[in-house]
Amino acid sequence: MHGRVTCGLLLSAATLALAACGSSDDGGGGAGGAGGATVSRGASEPVTVALPTDINTFNPITAGGSQADNTLFTALYDTLVRQSLDGSGRLEPQLATRWEVSRDARRFTFHIRDGVTCADGDALDAAAVAASLRYASDPRTPNGYASLIFGPRGVDSIAADDAAQTVTVTTKAPWASLLNGFAESAAAIVCPAGLEDTRALELRPSGSGPYALERSARGNEYVLRLRADAGRTLPQGIALDKMPQRLTYRVVANGTTTANLLMTDQIQAGSIATPDFRRVRDSGRFTEVTGVGLGADAMLYNESEGHPGADVNVRRALNALIDREEATTAYSVGLGKPITTLITPGMECYAEADGDVAPRHDPALAEQLLREAGYAKEGGAWVKDGKPLTLTLLGGAAQNSGPAFVQSVWKEFGIETRTVIGQPAQHDALHAGNFDAVVFELNSPTSAPELLVNQLSGPLEQSINFAHVRNAEFEAIVEPAAAATGEERCALWSRGQKALMENADANPIQANVIAWFGRGVSFEASFWYLDSKTLQVAG
């Protein structure tokens, strides 16, 4: 939608070089290059954007990375690099003007942009950036994306050179996707005041993004104002004088309500994952941006001891009962596409043939596997040791009739299934381990296959491995894949995702898509977020 820095790159092990690239130190956006721009340069028309859920905290590192988190934090915070949302996966400068990467993919040196300030006026220099990265990588920090950003083994050191304005991150093991991870909101740079009091950070942001928080009402709305020196970290081609001076994020948890607010001009932008997207689209009044997810929505099972999913044959049986195409229709009302791989189109190392090992719909096989797991059919129910097979299935409000569809399939087969629906309830159940099955979004803004590591391995303290997956074959390929290049790297990731599917640790269902709509504004968006730094008022 907008012009972009032409020398950005998607860094993988195949493209490792001693020097990456960036922009000049003069600033980010086309019209906003000068740090002394005044707030009056923004567009006077206020803009309201719908958030599908509320945020839990203003701390981007511990927030959890929901669509609401990612969208709001692109306005309030900066990351060292930005991943373009134009489909190229290209990495672009943000706080870092350029970077160098050692050939062994362990040492990353970032040149920090001069003249950037925090919303409270403090300078954001190399020392401040390094301090934020140390906090994000500290095992004591509850950063669920730490292993995705810094690798499963973490960092060896993070050093700042104030004279050179550089920050050097050295990982304990090769981790080629660190740059991709640094585009995540969980790697956003928190300013010194926020690090001094992380409890206060939960209630008020502390960032260097183009907007500052003016007022907030949790569960309702967040009102931001354009900062006087907003221009330095804007994407190339973004005009400061077209950014809204006042930007409001309104919590709208219902797709029907979002559609109604769009149609009545009460909001200018929002995403819809319910059937209501059709009437907004058919009105012909809105610009539509298709947000494509990178990584599959996959059925996961709680593999902790004491849960039915601890038995691989039970997991395989449950998978064999699911018709992938019917499930996709139910979960995404026709927006998503059935998929048989965990690494999806648009990601590095995607190969359709890897889906040959994905589970197939086969109820007869399901019956055989349950019997092998020690269950018997008694009175229409599957029973083992006198106890019926009973499951708790989680579902989000944006998953439409998907959870009800799976529940009906399993219940008809003789498996008692109850559903827990809603974002807060699902969040709490995942973190507490009070569930047996969930179609989980194994995706993120990064296009690197390393995203699977963070979500399907490791302890919860440094990952979001809610299913408690422990797959030795998958874990064995992680470090070799991070150090490999080209075809060798992709061959390892092929082995890894196949190991997960063959062991029924993750059953890919769909490649998720969401519809974003805007009127009177333009922007870039992915499945996971609207990039607030790209918001431009028309006219």
Side-chain angles (χ1 to χ4, degrees):
M1 197 179 285
H2 301 289
R4 286 292 175 260
V5 179
T6 57
C7 61
L9 78 161
L10 174 67
L11 184 83
S12 68
T15 58
L16 285 176
L18 287 178
C21 65
S23 66
S24 73
D25 249 1
D26 294 335
T38 63
V39 71
S40 63
R41 291 188 63 184
S44 59
E45 296 87 348
V47 169
T48 300
V49 177
L51 297 178
T53 61
D54 198 5
I55 64 170
N56 296 314
T57 175
F58 279 111
N59 185 339
I61 292 168
T62 63
S66 70
Q67 186 190 103
D69 296 332
N70 292 331
T71 298
L72 185 56
F73 293 159
T74 56
L76 296 169
Y77 291 92
D78 289 318
T79 50
L80 284 171
V81 299
R82 172 186 182 269
Q83 184 157 312
S84 173
L85 302 184
D86 64 1
S88 69
R90 183 177 63 246
L91 292 177
E92 302 171 348
Q94 196 165 105
L95 275 177
T97 59
R98 65 185 191 278
W99 48 86
E100 293 95 47
V101 184
S102 64
R103 293 194 181 279
D104 64 357
R106 287 190 56 223
R107 182 184 169 100
F108 302 77
T109 299
F110 299 89
H111 296 258
I112 307 303
R113 192 179 300 277
D114 288 329
V116 178
T117 61
C118 299
D120 61 8
D122 285 350
L124 191 65
D125 55 16
V129 170
S132 181
L133 293 176
R134 291 189 195 103
Y135 169 67
S137 63
D138 191 328
R140 295 169 296 182
T141 300
N143 181 357
Y145 287 85
S147 61
L148 169 63
I149 298 166
F150 301 101
R153 292 179 59 185
V155 299
D156 188 37
S157 64
I158 298 175
D161 185 332
D162 288 329
Q165 267 290 81
T166 60
V167 173
T168 299
V169 179
T170 304
T171 56
K172 291 182 178 178
W175 193 245
S177 70
L178 181 136
L179 283 181
N180 299 79
F182 272 16
E184 295 268 4
S185 65
I189 302 303
V190 176
C191 287
L195 295 179
E196 288 175 9
D197 189 348
T198 55
R199 295 189 68 176
L201 181 62
E202 295 179 7
L203 303 175
R204 191 161 189 86
S206 182
S208 62
Y211 287 90
L213 181 68
E214 188 170 276
R215 66 178 187 272
S216 66
R218 285 290 174 91
N220 184 18
E221 67 176 16
Y222 301 88
V223 181
L224 280 58
R225 57 174 172 78
L226 188 65
R227 293 178 54 206
D229 54 355
R232 284 200 170 270
T233 59
L234 299 182
Q236 190 74 19
I238 297 301
L240 181 61
D241 58 5
K242 291 186 178 181
M243 297 185 73
Q245 288 183 20
R246 179 156 294 174
L247 177 57
T248 299
Y249 295 93
R250 182 172 173 182
V251 179
V252 186
N254 182 281
T256 299
T257 305
T258 299
N260 291 340
L261 293 172
L262 282 165
M263 297 287 283
T264 55
D265 296 323
Q266 295 182 66
I267 61 175
Q268 285 67 55
S271 65
I272 304 177
T274 60
D276 301 275
F277 80 88
R278 295 190 181 94
R279 62 186 172 100
V280 179
R281 174 187 288 170
D282 292 345
S283 74
R285 297 169 54 206
F286 299 88
T287 298
E288 182 175 350
V289 178
T290 300
V292 179
L294 296 172
D297 284 11
M299 180 66 79
L300 307 183
Y301 303 99
N302 190 336
E303 299 184 22
S304 299
E305 185 177 354
H307 288 266
D311 188 323
V312 64
N313 279 337
V314 172
R315 301 197 300 271
R316 288 171 174 157
L318 294 171
N319 284 340
L321 293 171
I322 298 173
D323 183 297
R324 187 172 283 105
E325 291 196 6
E326 291 182 2
T328 296
T329 299
Y331 271 93
S332 70
V333 295
L335 280 169
K337 306 294 181 185
I339 193 79
T340 57
T341 56
L342 301 173
I343 299 170
T344 57
M347 293 179 64
E348 301 166 57
C349 300
Y350 166 70
E352 185 178 4
D354 288 348
D356 291 346
V357 303
R360 296 296 189 268
H361 183 226
D362 190 342
L365 176 61
E367 181 170 344
Q368 174 189 328
L369 289 166
L370 284 181
R371 294 190 185 282
E372 291 178 5
Y375 289 87
K377 200 76 173 285
E378 297 179 9
W382 288 94
V383 177
K384 180 178 181 179
D385 299 330
K387 297 180 180 179
L389 177 55
T390 304
L391 302 173
T392 296
L393 172 67
L394 302 184
Q399 291 183 323
N400 300 293
S401 62
F405 165 76
V406 174
Q407 178 188 39
S408 67
V409 168
W410 287 346
K411 289 185 75 170
E412 183 178 346
F413 194 72
I415 300 169
E416 183 59 34
T417 306
R418 76 179 188 98
T419 58
V420 175
I421 307 296
Q423 160 51 357
Q426 178 171 285
H427 176 275
D428 293 345
L430 284 170
H431 284 269
N434 296 329
F435 75 100
D436 295 301
V438 60
V439 170
F440 192 75
E441 295 156 345
L442 294 177
N443 47 48
S444 77
T446 178
S447 60
E450 280 84 353
L451 67 85
L452 297 175
V453 179
N454 169 256
Q455 302 182 74
L456 295 172
S457 67
L460 267 178
E461 294 78 8
Q462 296 292 306
S463 73
I464 52 173
N465 181 19
F466 297 117
H468 299 276
V469 173
R470 294 173 294 276
N471 186 312
E473 186 176 353
F474 172 73
E475 292 173 5
I477 68 97
V478 171
E479 286 195 15
T485 61
E487 293 183 1
E488 180 187 1
R489 175 176 180 252
C490 288
L492 287 166
W493 283 117
S494 174
R495 278 176 46 197
Q497 74 165 330
K498 286 179 179 178
L500 291 167
M501 291 189 288
E502 289 171 337
N503 199 49
D505 294 317
N507 177 21
I509 302 295
Q510 66 171 349
N512 214 338
V513 174
I514 201 165
W516 289 90
F517 295 96
R519 188 172 185 212
V521 294
S522 63
F523 53 83
E524 287 191 358
S526 71
F527 175 79
W528 271 113
Y529 65 103
L530 180 154
D531 187 344
S532 303
K533 290 185 176 72
T534 67
L535 270 169
Q536 300 276 265
V537 177

